[in-house]
């Protein structure tokens, strides 16, 4: 159990277009999901916390108008990169938090989406 | 603010050997969680092991074990009988109790040599 999927796994787009990435928890419900960005050979950088039914919480320095997050259901969060530019090219990873019921939660990660903006 | 430091950017060991990855962290919190995540070439993040700070006993998962030294704020990962499939990037991570945010170290790239 605790599988998280991301779609697409890889996307190439032209500069100025928008790209939507989906993150789904397949076998559990997640009121909280997270979006990370990972540069080559670097660590994961938290971009935002996605809360079901409410606005996302963005980390300092992350443009909320550029990286739109929608968490419309307990199993789906989407990240839309608006007006993408080459500097937005990166590996985007989501995670979904599963509540264990005894006060500790575990985050399970999706397989990531590689975005290339030409 | 919490920080996680991994001082070994890259390591290589022969298959079947034991290897220890270092991690130190800084926090003023008393209740928190520590993790080791593995990221193989597929880029899929996999939870290897987790440790609750209030537990004195070191966590163990098959060939993976940790040495948790709370006073020293040290959380090393030991991989016994290393296998080729252990080749990956390993991230040490911290999460404060009651806060969902995970703070990752910069990672250690581990190569298991045949």
């Amino acid at each position: 159990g605790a599988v998280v999927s991301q779609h697409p796994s890889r996307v190439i787009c032209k500069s100025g277009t928008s790209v939507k990435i989906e993150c789904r928890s397949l076998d559990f419900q997640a009121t909280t999901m997270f979006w990370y960005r990972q540069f080559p050979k670097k660590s994961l950088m938290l971009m935002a916390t996605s809360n079901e039914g409410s606005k996302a919480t963005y980390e300092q320095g992350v443009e909320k108008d550029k990286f739109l997050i929608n968490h419309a259901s307990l199993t789906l969060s989407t990240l839309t990169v608006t007006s993408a530019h080459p500097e937005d090219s990166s590996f985007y990873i989501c995670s979904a938090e599963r509540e264990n019921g005894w006060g500790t939660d575990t985050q399970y990660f999706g397989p990531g989406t590689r975005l290339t903006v030409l | 603010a919490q920080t996680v430091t991994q001082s070994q950017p890259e390591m290589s060991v022969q298959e079947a050997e034991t290897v220890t990855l270092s991690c130190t962290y800084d926090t003023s919190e008393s209740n928190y969680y520590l993790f080791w995540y593995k990221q193989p070439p597929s880029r899929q993040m996999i939870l290897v092991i987790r440790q609750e700070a209030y537990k004195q006993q070191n966590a163990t998962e098959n060939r993976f074990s940790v040495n948790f030294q709370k006073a020293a704020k040290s959380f090393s990962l030991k991989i016994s009988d290393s296998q080729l499939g252990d080749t990956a990037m390993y991230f040490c991570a911290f999460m404060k109790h009651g806060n969902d945010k995970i703070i990752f170290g910069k990672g250690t790239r581990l190569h298991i040599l045949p």
Side-chain angles (χ1 to χ4, degrees):
Chain A
V3 179
V4 177
S5 70
Q6 274 184 248
H7 178 80
S9 58
R10 198 178 278 264
V11 58
I12 301 172
C13 69
K14 291 182 179 179
S15 186
T17 61
S18 294
V19 174
K20 180 186 284 188
I21 303 170
E22 293 185 347
C23 177
R24 292 181 186 273
S25 56
L26 299 185
D27 51 2
F28 66 98
Q29 294 183 328
T31 55
T32 307
M33 292 183 175
F34 302 86
W35 287 97
Y36 296 85
R37 185 171 179 176
Q38 186 178 29
F39 291 101
K41 298 186 178 181
K42 298 292 185 183
S43 188
L44 280 71
M45 180 190 79
L46 179 64
M47 298 174 65
T49 303
S50 172
N51 303 296
E52 188 269 335
S54 64
K55 290 183 179 179
T57 305
Y58 290 81
E59 295 300 300
Q60 191 173 11
V62 178
E63 299 176 61
K64 63 180 181 180
D65 294 330
K66 180 165 187 63
F67 298 100
L68 299 179
I69 291 172
N70 187 340
H71 195 155
S73 78
L74 289 172
T75 58
L76 173 64
S77 175
T78 60
L79 168 69
T80 301
V81 183
T82 62
S83 186
H85 290 282
E87 57 265 29
D88 299 324
S89 298
S90 192
F91 194 68
Y92 293 87
I93 303 176
C94 75
S95 70
E97 187 173 73
R98 187 180 74 174
E99 296 175 6
N100 295 329
W102 52 85
T104 61
D105 303 328
T106 300
Q107 285 189 32
Y108 295 90
F109 287 80
T113 296
R114 179 171 300 285
L115 170 63
T116 303
V117 184
L118 302 177
Chain B
Q2 290 80 22
T3 59
V4 178
T5 302
Q6 293 179 250
S7 59
Q8 305 151 310
E10 199 157 357
M11 298 180 71
S12 296
V13 296
Q14 294 293 137
E15 190 177 7
E17 289 184 350
T18 294
V19 59
T20 298
L21 309 183
S22 302
C23 173
T24 59
Y25 58 96
D26 188 26
T27 184
S28 58
E29 302 292 329
S30 59
N31 199 2
Y32 50 87
Y33 306 95
L34 295 164
F35 309 88
W36 278 98
Y37 281 91
K38 169 184 177 181
Q39 188 179 41
S42 67
R43 306 292 294 270
Q44 172 74 60
M45 292 286 284
I46 302 166
L47 177 63
V48 175
I49 202 164
R50 67 181 279 161
Q51 173 82 42
E52 287 86 355
Y54 65 86
K55 290 186 178 178
Q56 290 188 334
Q57 187 173 7
N58 289 324
T60 299
E61 286 288 341
N62 300 314
R63 297 183 294 107
F64 299 87
S65 61
V66 297
N67 184 0
F68 174 46
Q69 301 290 327
K70 191 172 184 178
K73 295 179 182 174
S74 171
F75 184 62
S76 61
L77 174 70
K78 186 172 83 170
I79 305 174
S80 303
D81 186 26
S82 57
Q83 301 174 358
L84 296 179
D86 295 333
T87 292
M89 192 76 162
Y90 286 82
F91 293 100
C92 179
F94 170 100
M95 184 175 76
K96 185 172 70 171
H97 179 73
N99 185 323
D100 301 335
K101 295 181 185 179
I102 294 180
I103 299 169
F104 288 91
K106 292 187 176 182
T108 295
R109 187 170 298 280
L110 177 64
H111 301 276
I112 308 299
L113 306 173

